[in-house]
Each structure stands twice: as C-alpha cells, then as structure tokens.
Amino acid sequence: MPMSNQLAPATAATFPVVHDAIAPRSWEPNEAASLAIDDVGLASTGSVLHFTQDQQVFGEGDQAEFLFKVASGVIRTCRFHGDGRRQIDDFHIAGDIFGLETSQHYQVSAEAVCDCMVIAYRRRGVEKRAPGNETLSQQLFLVALQSMNRAREHALLLGRRSAVEKVASFLIEWGQRAPASTTVTLAMTRQDIADYLGLTIETVSRTLSQLERDGLITLVTARRIEIKDVQALRALHG
Amino acid sequence: MPMSNQLAPATAATFPVVHDAIAPRSWEPNEAASLAIDDVGLASTGSVLHFTQDQQVFGEGDQAEFLFKVASGVIRTCRFHGDGRRQIDDFHIAGDIFGLETSQHYQVSAEAVCDCMVIAYRRRGVEKRAPGNETLSQQLFLVALQSMNRAREHALLLGRRSAVEKVASFLIEWGQRAPASTTVTLAMTRQDIADYLGLTIETVSRTLSQLERDGLITLVTARRIEIKDVQALRALHG
DNA sequence: CGATTGCTTGATACCTCTCAACCCAGGTGG
DNA sequence: CCACCTGGGTTGAGAGGTATCAAGCAATCG
C-alpha cells in the first residue's frame, strides 16, 4: 500500500490546511474554482498526499481507514475480476470525495489516472466529530447522495446498448465536468474509457473515429477532442 | 400521479404507526423479518399506501415531496428513453427506502412490480426533524450509503460483458435478498430482468434455458428457479 | 372457448470482440 | 543525430454473441 508510506511521516493534522484554496473543480491545473461542497467541516484535519500516475491510493479489501478528497488530478476507482478484466466505477476530479464506505473495507481500488494531490481524512476522526457537527454531517450526507447519483447515472449509462451511445454520453459527461469550451481534454487512456464503458479499447477508438467521420467531433490529438455538434451528441446520449 | 389520489384523504401522521412490525425483509409475505435499518427515526410519521401491479408511485421529474419505504411487495425504479426503451435502476423489497434524492425532483420513476404496500414520509418533515435527531440523521446517511453501494454494484454488474455472467449475477443477488432455500422466486417478469441487465427478453430467456441445460439451475416454473449448483453460478458471477 | 399475456425457441442480421498489423510520439542510448 | 524501443492509439479481417424478427406454447381470464 503506497499510501501508508506517505502517511507515516505525515500524520493527520500536521499539514497546512487546505480550505477553498485547494483546487479548481477540474483536473486541469488552470481552471476556475467552483467547489460543489464547501470545506468547512472537513478541511481542517486532512493531510495532503501526492500520487504519481497509476499509483494505488488504496486497494479493494483494504481497511477503510481514510476518506479522500481530490485536490488536483484525476482518481479512478475500480475493481478487478478474476480473469484480469478491470471495471472502472468512477473518475474523481478536484473537489470530489472518494473512499466513503458502509463497510470497514474498501469495496473498490483507487488509483491515480495522472499525477494527483489528494487529501486524506481519518475516518475515525470524521465519525467522531460528525455527531453534533451539523455542517459536517450534512456535508457527508450530501456526498453520499451525490455518489449515489453518480453511480446511478453510470449504471443507466452502461445499460444503454450501443457503443456510440456510451461513448457520446461519456464525452458529454466528461465535457461537463471540466467546464471548458467545446474542447474536451481527456485525462485518461482509451483503456480507462473502455473499462468505464464496458467496451474494448478498439471499439472506443473506432467509435471516436466514426464520430469524427460523421462530423460530430474532431480528434485534435488523441487526448484533445473538439465537439463540433453538441446537439447530435446529446441526441445520442438521450 | 396516482400517489396524490391516495394521499389526499390520508394526510401524514394520521395512519397507524408501522414500527418494526411492518414487514419481513422479503417480498414474499411469509419470510422472517430482518430489517437492515431500524425504524425508530422514521416510522412515527408515515402514511401507508397501496399500489397494484405496474401502478406508478412517482414519475421521473415529479416534485420529490416524499420518501418511501417498502412495507411489502417489490418496487422498481427506472428511467425511460426517447425510443421507448426502459432501463431499470433497482428493485426495492420490504425494508428498502427509495425516492431519496439530492434534487427537488425525482431522477427516476418508481412503479410497483407486484401489489405493494409502501410507507410515504414527507420529505420536508424528515428534513426538519433530522438536525438534532442523531438517530434519524445517521439512518438517512446509512440509507444513502447503501443506495450508493447498490448502484455501484449494479454498474459493475452491467459492465460485465456476457449475458451468462449478468443473468447468473442477477440470480445470486436476488437469491440473497429473499434468503429462502435454494429456490429463488422471481417477483418480476423477464422484461423487468432484461431491462435491469441491459439485455433483451429473448436473451434472458435463452440464457436461463442454457443454464438449465448445463445443470446449474432448474426452471420449476417461469418464476420459480431452483439453484442446483451455487458454486458454478458464483463462478460465473465472478 | 377465444383472446390475451408472458415465456420460449428458431433463423438471420448486425454489432462488438478478438487477433493482428501498423502508426505515431516520446524517450533512450549509441 | 539517428536508430531503436516503448506505450498508446488506430485500423483491418474474421469470429462470435446478442438483437431482431417471427412463430409457437402455456397459463390466465373474460
């Protein structure tokens, strides 16, 4: 567990506080801030950690000692199947909380999609302070509800039949998260996208090419996609 | 909205209270009770409603005025797409809470899979009483987390590639919910199952037949399935 | 009984997976 | 500077699985 390496020298509450200054709600370092959930309840006790690309934050089955918030970068939560296949549960960007669990153990693994800063909060500490702290309780409740919503939307997305619908939905969704212009910049590889959508890497690639041929998007580079026809894309998503 | 019809004459807090006596945690009327979440915080203010098969409890987009708990029967939450396709988000059995939302509007519709009794709680009332009521707050928090878990598991299930895996997973999961013997009794139609798994009705039927030919299950009737080889089924479930 | 509804089964088309080759950009080292 | 290597991405051909269309069966109900 790479995490313990980093937490050992840096115990909770020793790191500088991270209030709203922490990060823009985007994985790109230069976006404007708009935190969905403010930091009043949590931020005063977190320790800041750094993870490099593909480094694991925690593994499925580990003791769920911490709660995390993304400060910058993108974290993916996922699960691995016996045959080596991977299923990505969600992508988390700055401001998102992950690692919230009912059980004592994490039900998914968490890994850095790119270089990341995350803030770790001791779960015990949070749980101890939650009763009586209305702000914190409400905040956690909201986080849980939002996680529920996201998981639900993901399930409904995966239920869609065709690859085009899935890929279009993904572009729309990811485009909304980083509220840039019409140009979407992907933080993740095709493999990540495929594992998120329940497709293969080749199908994702082919579908993107197809969307480009149809004039809905332009593949500026592999990771930069310009959306030419939002309407049509939304129609597919619809 | 059929609900308002029923709530109009029966305003909140007029109905008899429903404590733990309400229902066994199973959609079958004769199962043993084992509520995952106790009722202390909620039950004192709910009104009991009845819904017949396929009747709508609420629709996507409706004002989310109420919070519901299943007393008996099975409720499905789902969403409809433009082309008429339906995607089922979840099945809710006795003891389950549904209709919890971040937004002011329901994000999915809710319908009765079979004849159902549900308890409706005014959302405003709950929200008013939650601060300061530790039991109720924690309860709601737990419900949100459990909903998140279920949605996540559903997403991971839908990410699985093959129809066999999906159907096997569904059988295992549903079998666990009604903790009967090795015989699983389905409350829902093949269409419901198909819309939950992102498959067609024919594929579900064929897959079940295949599982029977392979000796993993026996189709006693269309709705009663005996599990002959749990191990093998779990292996498919992955 | 005929009609309806839910379910099963069959034949075929289509879409996605699989396997494979190839391309391209970036990094390394001679 | 260029050859080489590597990892990520694209593209092609064929196989396989699921959707689609269609027919038939069983149970239920007026």
Side-chain angles (χ1 to χ4, degrees), chain B:
Chain B
M1 248 144 292
M3 203 187 61
S4 48
N5 303 342
Q6 306 199 18
L7 266 187
T11 54
T14 61
F15 268 86
V17 177
V18 196
H19 279 287
D20 356 295
I22 46 163
R25 183 165 177 77
S26 160
W27 65 276
E28 296 180 272
N30 52 350
E31 293 292 338
S34 78
L35 288 175
I37 300 179
D38 76 42
D39 291 82
V40 181
L42 277 179
S44 48
T45 55
S47 8
V48 178
L49 306 174
H50 177 255
F51 292 93
T52 60
Q53 188 174 333
D54 291 327
Q55 199 181 348
Q56 184 176 271
V57 179
F58 56 76
E60 179 184 351
D62 289 357
Q63 278 286 123
E65 267 191 279
F66 296 90
L67 197 82
F68 298 88
K69 173 147 78 176
V70 181
S72 68
V74 178
I75 296 283
R76 63 171 174 256
T77 43
C78 56
R79 187 175 293 176
F80 298 90
H81 299 130
D83 52 5
R85 282 183 306 179
R86 182 184 64 168
Q87 174 75 28
I88 292 186
D89 167 56
D90 207 351
F91 295 108
H92 306 271
I93 65 173
D96 289 347
I97 305 251
F98 64 98
L100 198 59
E101 296 286 349
T102 29
S103 124
Q104 289 297 317
H105 301 270
Y106 294 115
Q107 312 270 334
V108 290
S109 303
E111 303 166 349
V113 170
C114 51
D115 277 27
C116 287
M117 301 288 282
V118 308
I119 311 160
Y121 305 98
R122 275 204 177 297
R123 192 176 159 182
R124 277 227 317 273
V126 174
E127 278 170 0
K128 207 184 299 172
R129 277 165 40 240
N133 183 338
E134 217 40 67
T135 319
L136 179 54
S137 304
Q138 283 180 8
Q139 202 170 303
L140 286 173
F141 183 57
L142 254 184
V143 168
L145 277 183
Q146 288 175 353
S147 300
M148 180 196 76
N149 265 336
R150 285 192 58 76
R152 178 198 279 170
E153 292 302 324
H154 188 203
L156 293 173
L157 164 63
L158 286 170
R160 310 193 138 281
R161 303 285 170 71
S162 74
V164 213
E165 287 176 321
K166 290 182 180 176
V167 172
S169 298
F170 175 77
L171 287 177
I172 295 284
E173 187 212 342
W174 186 254
Q176 284 172 340
R177 302 206 83 185
S181 53
T182 54
T183 307
V184 179
T185 306
L186 302 175
M188 65 291 287
T189 66
R190 295 287 187 270
Q191 187 65 61
D192 285 329
I193 300 176
D195 291 346
Y196 180 73
L197 297 179
L199 298 171
T200 59
I201 184 177
E202 294 97 330
T203 300
V204 171
S205 185
R206 269 188 259 272
T207 305
L208 286 171
S209 302
Q210 187 59 49
L211 287 174
E212 182 170 36
R213 273 193 294 279
D214 296 348
L216 303 207
I217 63 175
T218 305
L219 293 163
V220 186
T221 72
R223 300 289 188 97
R224 294 194 79 83
I225 297 177
E226 191 183 342
I227 296 180
K228 311 283 278 186
D229 190 342
V230 195
Q231 293 240 326
L233 217 55
R234 277 189 194 284
L236 285 174
H237 162 73

Side-chain angles (χ1 to χ4, degrees), chain A residues 162-163 200 202-203 206:
Chain A
S162 75
T200 58
E202 294 96 331
T203 300
R206 269 188 260 271

Side-chain angles (χ1 to χ4, degrees), chain A residues 89-157:
Chain A
D89 168 54
D90 207 352
F91 295 108
H92 307 271
I93 65 172
D96 289 347
I97 304 252
F98 65 99
L100 198 58
E101 296 286 350
T102 30
S103 122
Q104 288 298 316
H105 301 271
Y106 294 116
Q107 313 270 334
V108 291
S109 303
E111 302 165 350
V113 171
C114 52
D115 276 27
C116 288
M117 302 288 282
V118 308
I119 310 160
Y121 306 97
R122 271 210 142 41
R123 192 176 159 184
R124 277 226 317 274
V126 173
E127 278 169 0
K128 208 184 299 173
R129 276 165 41 239
N133 184 338
E134 217 40 67
T135 319
L136 179 54
S137 304
Q138 282 180 9
Q139 203 170 305
L140 287 173
F141 183 56
L142 253 185
V143 169
L145 277 182
Q146 288 176 351
S147 301
M148 180 196 77
N149 265 337
R150 284 193 58 76
R152 178 199 277 169
E153 292 303 325
H154 188 204
L156 293 172
L157 164 62

